[in-house]
C-alpha cells in the first residue's frame, strides 16, 4: 500500500485556510472602502442639491470672478436693459399698465422692491404713462408695445393683460434670463431670490391653503358597481397660481411659453387654466407635454390670501409662521385695501390691521 504523508495533508489544509483568510480580509476591506466611497458620493450629491439662500451668494461670487471678462454685445434693447439691471440673469418682473396706478396699487406694490431690497426688479410697462411714473419713482422700467389678442377682448382688462404675459416672458427666456413673475396685488417682505430652490423648470405659488391641497395627496375613489375592483386611487393638488412663479430659461420652458402664447392668442380662455393644463396634463397618444419639472413654493413663505385670512391670522401668536416672503391677495376682490392692511400687519407692527376684514369676500365669514 502507498504511504500517506500526514504532514503534507496538514500543509495543504493550512495553505487553503490562509488563502481563505486572505480573500476574506480583502473582501472585508473592499466592502468597507465601497461603503465609505458610496457615503462620500451620497454626501457630495446631497451637498449639490440647491437650498434657499445659498445660490444668491454663489451667483454674486461668480459674477465677481468674471467681472473683467469680455461682455457680449446685447442683441436688442431689452437685453441691453437686462444686462444693466440684472447681470446675474434673473429678474423679478411685473407687467403693468396705467390702470394699476389709478388707486395707488402700483405704488403700494413697488414699495416692496425697496422694502425687501430687490435691485434686480423690473416693471414691464405697457404704456407711456406707466413708464413715466416708474422712472419718476426710481423703479426699473422698460416699455413694450404689446397688443391684446382679439380672442381676449371682452374678458376684462386684468385677464386680457394677464394673457399677454406668456408671450412677454418668452422674450426674456429666449435671451437666457430666468424670471420671477409677480402680479401687482402682492406684498413683498423679503428678497424672494434668497428663498428659491432653482432645482426645477417652474417654481410656483399654489392656490392650495393647507399642506395636502398645496403639495398633493393620494385620494381614494369608490365605484360599488365594480364589485371586487370598486376601489381606485388618484393624485390631487390645487392649481399653481399664474400670478407668481419663477421660470428657468431652457428649451422646455421656451416650449411651454410658446404653447401658452399661441393658445391664448386664439382661445378665449383663462390664462391660469391654460397654464396648469400645459404643465400638468400627461403626454398621451400623439400629444406630448412640455415636460417641465415643477416645484411648489412653500405655502407660508409665498402665501396666498386664503391661507392668511382663513387660517394664519386666527392662530395663537406663538403658532404663526415667521415673516413671509411674499403675500398674494388672490382670493379676495378688495385687493388694495387688504394689501395695505397686510403690509401694516407684517411690516408696520399693527397686530389688528387684519381684524376689519372677513375671512372670505362676504361680511361675517371667518
Amino acid at each position: 500500500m502507498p504511504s500517506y504523508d500526514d504532514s503534507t495533508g496538514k500543509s495543504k489544509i493550512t495553505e487553503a485556510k490562509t488563502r481563505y483568510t486572505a480573500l476574506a480580509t480583502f473582501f472585508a476591506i473592499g466592502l468597507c472602502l465601497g461603503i465609505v466611497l458610496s457615503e462620500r458620493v451620497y454626501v457630495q450629491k446631497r451637498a449639490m442639491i440647491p437650498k434657499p439662500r445659498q445660490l444668491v451668494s454663489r451667483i454674486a461670487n461668480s459674477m465677481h470672478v468674471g467681472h473683467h471678462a469680455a461682455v457680449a454685445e446685447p442683441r436688442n434693447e431689452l437685453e441691453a436693459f437686462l444686462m444693466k439691471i440684472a447681470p446675474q440673469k434673473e429678474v423679478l418682473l411685473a407687467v403693468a399698465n396705467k390702470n394699476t396706478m389709478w388707486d395707488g396699487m402700483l405704488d403700494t406694490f413697488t414699495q416692496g422692491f425697496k422694502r425687501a431690497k430687490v435691485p434686480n426688479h423690473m416693471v414691464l410697462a405697457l404704456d407711456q404713462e406707466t413708464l413715466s411714473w416708474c422712472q419718476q419713482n426710481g423703479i426699473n422700467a422698460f416699455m413694450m408695445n404689446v397688443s391684446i389678442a382679439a380672442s381676449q377682448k371682452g374678458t376684462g382688462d386684468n385677464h386680457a393683460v394677464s394673457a399677454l404675459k406668456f408671450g412677454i416672458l418668452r422674450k426674456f427666456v429666449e435671451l437666457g434670463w430666468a424670471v420671477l413673475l409677480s402680479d401687482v396685488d402682492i406684498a413683498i417682505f423679503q428678497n424672494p431670490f434668497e428663498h428659491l430652490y432653482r432645482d426645477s423648470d417652474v417654481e410656483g405659488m399654489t392656490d392650495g391653503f393647507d399642506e395636502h391641497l398645496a403639495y398633493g395627496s393620494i385620494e381614494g375613489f369608490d365605484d360599488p358597481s365594480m364589485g371586487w375592483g370598486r376601489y381606485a386611487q388618484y393624485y390631487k393638488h390645487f392649481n399653481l397660481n399664474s400670478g407668481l412663479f419663477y421660470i428657468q430659461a431652457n428649451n422646455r420652458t421656451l416650449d411651454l411659453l410658446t404653447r401658452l402664447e399661441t393658445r391664448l392668442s386664439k382661445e378665449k380662455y383663462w390664462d391660469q387654466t391654460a397654464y396648469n393644463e400645459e404643465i400638468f396634463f400627461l403626454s398621451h397618444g400623439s400629444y406630448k407635454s412640455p415636460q417641465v419639472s415643477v416645484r411648489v413654493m412653500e405655502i407660508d413663505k409665498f402665501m396666498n390670501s386664503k391661507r392668511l385670512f382663513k387660517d394664519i391670522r386666527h392662530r395663537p401668536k406663538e403658532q404663526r409662521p415667521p415673516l413671509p416672503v411674499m403675500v398674494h391677495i388672490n382670493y379676495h376682490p378688495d385687493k388694495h385695501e387688504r394689501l395695505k392692511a397686510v403690509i401694516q400687519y407684517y411690516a408696520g407692527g399693527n397686530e389688528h390691521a387684519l381684524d376689519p376684514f372677513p375671512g372670505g369676500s362676504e361680511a361675517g365669514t371667518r
Side-chain angles (χ1 to χ4, degrees), residues 90-323:
E90 56 180 9
V91 63
L92 171 53
L93 174 71
V95 179
N97 62 10
K98 59 186 177 183
N99 292 341
T100 61
M101 297 189 295
W102 284 347
D103 65 349
M105 173 78 90
L106 186 60
D107 183 36
T108 302
F109 167 72
T110 55
Q111 288 299 320
F113 295 153
K114 303 170 184 178
R115 182 170 50 247
K117 297 180 174 59
V118 186
N120 52 326
H121 70 264
M122 174 180 171
V123 169
L124 195 291
L126 298 178
D127 48 56
Q128 184 60 49
E129 292 92 333
T130 305
L131 177 66
S132 298
W133 182 90
C134 289
Q135 291 173 338
Q136 292 165 11
N137 288 274
I139 303 299
N140 300 329
F142 184 90
M143 193 170 111
M144 188 178 290
N145 293 314
V146 183
S147 300
I148 293 174
S151 62
Q152 299 301 323
K153 291 179 179 177
T155 60
D157 183 73
N158 288 342
H159 282 294
V161 170
S162 189
L164 295 172
K165 62 193 174 193
F166 300 113
I168 292 170
L169 284 173
R170 183 177 61 80
K171 299 179 187 299
F172 285 73
V173 167
E174 283 177 332
L175 293 172
W177 261 259
V179 180
L180 175 59
L181 180 81
S182 173
D183 281 353
V184 299
D185 56 344
I186 290 178
I188 307 171
F189 298 106
Q190 301 185 62
N191 188 331
F193 292 106
E194 296 179 353
H195 297 270
L196 297 173
Y197 285 79
R198 299 174 179 80
D199 60 356
S200 302
D201 296 323
V202 176
E203 190 168 346
M205 191 202 90
T206 174
D207 277 350
F209 42 89
D210 64 32
E211 285 76 4
H212 292 293
L213 297 175
Y215 306 143
S217 61
I218 299 295
E219 302 289 327
F221 180 82
D222 181 14
D223 179 3
S225 69
M226 287 296 295
W228 178 86
R230 64 187 290 178
Y231 299 111
Q233 293 182 328
Y234 62 95
Y235 178 70
K236 179 182 77 174
H237 64 79
F238 267 42
N239 276 354
L240 296 182
N241 190 286
S242 61
L244 178 56
F245 61 90
Y246 178 82
I247 189 163
Q248 301 273 10
N250 58 43
N251 288 334
R252 292 181 299 278
T253 57
L254 184 59
D255 182 19
L256 170 67
L257 294 171
T258 302
R259 293 182 188 210
L260 287 167
E261 180 185 21
T262 303
R263 277 190 65 177
L264 294 171
S265 69
K266 298 177 180 178
E267 302 175 30
K268 191 172 184 176
Y269 212 61
W270 186 23
D271 66 279
Q272 180 160 301
T273 302
Y275 169 69
N276 280 275
E277 286 179 353
E278 294 296 340
I279 288 176
F280 292 115
F281 277 12
L282 303 177
S283 298
H284 59 277
S286 61
Y287 171 76
K288 182 177 181 297
S289 80
Q291 297 184 337
V292 293
S293 58
V294 181
R295 169 181 281 275
V296 179
M297 290 173 166
E298 295 172 62
I299 56 177
D300 289 331
K301 287 187 175 183
F302 297 86
M303 190 184 296
N304 65 57
S305 58
K306 185 171 182 178
R307 174 75 169 173
L308 175 59
F309 283 93
K310 296 284 285 185
D311 179 0
I312 301 300
R313 68 165 172 167
H314 297 304
R315 296 184 186 182
K317 190 172 181 179
E318 64 276 7
Q319 293 180 17
R320 296 172 196 165
L323 178 70

